[in-house]
């Protein structure tokens, strides 16, 4: 499937945990959409809406949801989390349990509830050998939700969502999962994980554009969320513009106040069609082979691996540190040599995908060798 990607041959793209490249089919879909618009305006608008509906179906497939009625399209992960955080009814004294090392989107949104008397309790992963047990230990009678990333953006630690979900469901605690660093990289099983909310932007492992994100809300919870945004699109009879009485849509469209991002929908739908053709089990098998190869290259050089070694604890992120070297300097030097990566968690973060040639991993490490010399 490497022919699906038109990356410059002198570029080592190891940054899918930040922004992934589009496959050729996504580029083609957006080009067709733009050309249709240029030639005939919105004549094919119903066809465009059919593409958006296919996108909802693909997102439902990606997480294992039974129905598209539970799938809303948000602008990004932060907006999706805000819909949840500021939609749920809170009582002063309530608490939310999370992780201290989270990406700011998964910290700021919960801290913003402080003026409602809600406390955010954070687990420090640096002192935890069993993060699921330690997250559960932070919960008490005041805890209404555990809100975590499936995969930590800096270290690449993957949580056991099945374990967390079972405990949350048994104890009437909500589970909110930011799945942005896992969806598109490995299979997600909503039935096993029992998440109440799942959010993820499409521009990383899903290989889509920025500006379009998944918001899954368990059907029994939709009407418990107070709506904070309103417009023509979120009402039940959205096409009846002369109607003066209105109610929010019964399905997850109630969280989409205005016009859809059809340009983004064409790109993301096409990108997900690639993952569907390959199958997420096969995507994950290929990605695991690449991360294992990368870890072997890191170990052979005596570098310090910051990502968990246990394959059950990893996804597509591999973060490492070179002892005695400035990660900031190495990052700048790697980027200058067209090794696209990130500086995260005190080290260098590489994040290949299922299609990344093994030769790209080896070339990136050889370039690093040359920088160190």
């Amino acid at each position: 499937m490497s022919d699906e990607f038109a990356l410059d041959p002198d570029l080592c793209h190891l940054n899918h945990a930040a922004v992934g490249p589009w496959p050729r089919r996504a580029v083609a879909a957006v080009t067709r959409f733009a050309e249709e618009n240029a030639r005939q305006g919105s004549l094919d608008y119903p066809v465009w809406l059919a593409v958006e509906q296919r996108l909802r179906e693909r997102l439902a497939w990606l997480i294992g949801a039974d129905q598209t009625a539970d799938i809303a399209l948000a602008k990004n992960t932060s907006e999706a989390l805000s819909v949840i955080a500021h939609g749920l009814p809170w009582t002063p004294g309530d608490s939310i349990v999370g992780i201290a090392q989270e990406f700011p989107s998964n910290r700021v949104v919960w801290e913003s509830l402080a003026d409602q008397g809600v406390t955010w309790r954070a687990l420090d992963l640096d002192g935890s050998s069993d993060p699921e047990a330690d997250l559960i230990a932070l919960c008490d009678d005041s805890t209404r939700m555990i809100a975590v990333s499936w995969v930590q953006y800096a270290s690449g630690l993957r949580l056991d969502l099945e374990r967390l979900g079972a405990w949350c469901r048994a104890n009437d605690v909500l589970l909110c999962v930011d799945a942005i660093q896992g969806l598109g990289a490995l299979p997600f099983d909503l039935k096993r994980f029992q998440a109440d909310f799942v959010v993820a932007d499409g521009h990383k492992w899903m290989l889509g554009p920025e500006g379009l994100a998944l918001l899954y809300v368990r059907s029994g919870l939709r009407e418990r969320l107070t709506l904070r945004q309103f417009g023509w699109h979120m009402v039940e009879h959205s096409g009846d513009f002369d109607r003066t009485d209105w109610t929010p849509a019964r399905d997850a469209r109630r969280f989409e106040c205005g016009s859809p991002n059809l340009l983004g929908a064409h790109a993301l739908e096409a990108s997900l069609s690639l993952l569907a053709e390959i199958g997420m089990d096969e995507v994950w098998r290929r990605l695991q082979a690449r991360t294992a190869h990368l870890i072997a290259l890191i170990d052979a050089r005596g570098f310090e691996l910051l990502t968990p070694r246990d394959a059950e604890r990893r996804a597509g992120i591999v973060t490492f540190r070179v002892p005695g070297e400035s990660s900031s300097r190495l990052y700048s030097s790697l980027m200058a040599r067209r090794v696209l990566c990130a500086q995260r968690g005190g080290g260098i973060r590489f994040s290949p995908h299922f299609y990344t040639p093994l030769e790209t991993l080896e070339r990136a490490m050889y370039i690093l060798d040359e920088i160190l010399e």
Side-chain angles (χ1 to χ4, degrees), residues 67-326:
Q67 56 182 359
T68 58
D70 296 333
I71 304 296
L73 300 176
K75 292 193 290 291
N76 46 59
T77 306
S78 297
E79 181 186 61
L81 288 171
S82 294
V83 168
I84 298 164
H86 289 276
L88 284 167
W90 302 100
T91 300
D94 285 345
S95 66
I96 300 166
V97 167
I99 290 174
Q101 287 83 357
E102 287 280 8
F103 190 75
S105 296
N106 234 332
R107 170 176 51 82
V108 172
V109 67
W110 310 117
E111 290 177 332
S112 74
L113 297 171
D115 62 358
Q116 298 183 45
V118 179
T119 302
W120 180 67
R121 298 176 185 162
L123 170 67
D124 183 355
L125 287 175
D126 291 339
S128 175
S129 60
D130 189 343
E132 293 80 16
D134 291 338
L135 284 165
I136 291 169
L138 282 176
C139 299
D140 58 22
D141 291 342
S142 73
T143 304
R144 296 276 309 285
M145 175 188 285
I146 292 179
V148 291
S149 289
W150 183 19
V151 179
Q152 287 295 307
Y153 81 104
S155 69
L157 169 71
R158 173 159 56 105
L159 293 180
D160 184 346
L161 293 184
E162 185 171 8
R163 184 178 173 192
L164 282 178
W167 184 88
C168 286
R169 193 59 58 91
N171 289 273
D172 197 27
V173 172
L174 297 171
L175 177 61
C176 179
V177 178
D178 177 350
I180 195 170
Q181 292 294 1
L183 280 188
L186 68 162
F188 188 99
D189 190 334
L190 189 59
K191 293 180 178 61
R192 283 198 304 117
F193 298 164
Q194 301 187 74
D196 298 290
F197 308 101
V198 182
V199 301
D201 209 319
H203 67 273
K204 298 183 187 292
W205 303 94
M206 286 187 261
L207 303 169
E210 292 183 288
L212 195 56
L214 160 73
L215 167 57
Y216 164 83
V217 179
R218 183 162 58 86
S219 56
L221 294 172
R222 278 201 296 270
E223 294 189 1
R224 287 178 56 186
L225 296 182
T226 299
L227 298 175
R228 307 293 181 184
Q229 300 181 85
F230 299 86
W232 72 272
H233 191 265
M234 49 73 65
V235 300
E236 181 63 27
H237 302 283
S238 58
D240 188 351
F241 302 136
D242 294 327
R243 186 168 181 150
T244 56
D245 63 310
W246 61 273
T247 56
R250 286 171 290 181
D251 62 15
R253 187 167 48 82
R254 62 173 40 216
F255 305 119
E256 305 170 12
C257 63
S259 296
N261 177 3
L262 292 177
L263 178 65
H266 277 72
L268 186 54
E269 191 279 330
S271 295
L272 292 182
S273 76
L274 174 61
L275 298 180
E277 284 180 18
I278 300 169
M280 286 310 305
D281 287 337
E282 179 63 13
V283 167
W284 179 222
R285 186 191 69 79
R286 297 184 193 183
L287 179 55
Q288 281 182 300
R290 282 150 178 79
T291 54
H293 187 66
L294 184 53
I295 289 172
L297 293 172
I298 290 167
D299 286 344
R301 289 162 169 79
F303 299 159
E304 179 186 359
L305 183 67
L306 302 179
T307 295
R309 288 192 176 277
D310 182 356
E312 296 298 316
R313 285 295 191 185
R314 299 199 311 265
I317 290 171
V318 177
T319 306
F320 63 96
R321 181 187 296 120
V322 178
E325 296 287 341
S326 164

Side-chain angles (χ1 to χ4, degrees), residues 45-59 68 71 73 212 233 253 256 258-262 265-266 269:
Y45 203 86
V47 178
W48 299 348
L49 291 179
V51 173
E52 187 201 45
Q53 179 58 27
R54 285 204 306 274
L55 172 59
R56 295 176 193 273
E57 293 166 1
R58 293 198 188 280
L59 288 169
T68 58
I71 304 296
L73 300 176
L212 195 56
H233 191 265
R253 187 167 48 82
E256 305 170 12
S259 296
N261 177 3
L262 292 177
H266 277 72
E269 191 279 330

Side-chain angles (χ1 to χ4, degrees), residues 15 27-28 48 50-51 66 76 104 115 153 161 208 269 287 292 330 333 340 348 357 361 364 373:
N15 209 25
V27 176
W48 299 348
V51 173
D66 290 330
N76 46 59
D115 62 358
Y153 81 104
L161 293 184
E269 191 279 330
L287 179 55
L330 294 180
S333 299
L340 193 53
I348 302 298
L361 305 179
E373 288 176 0

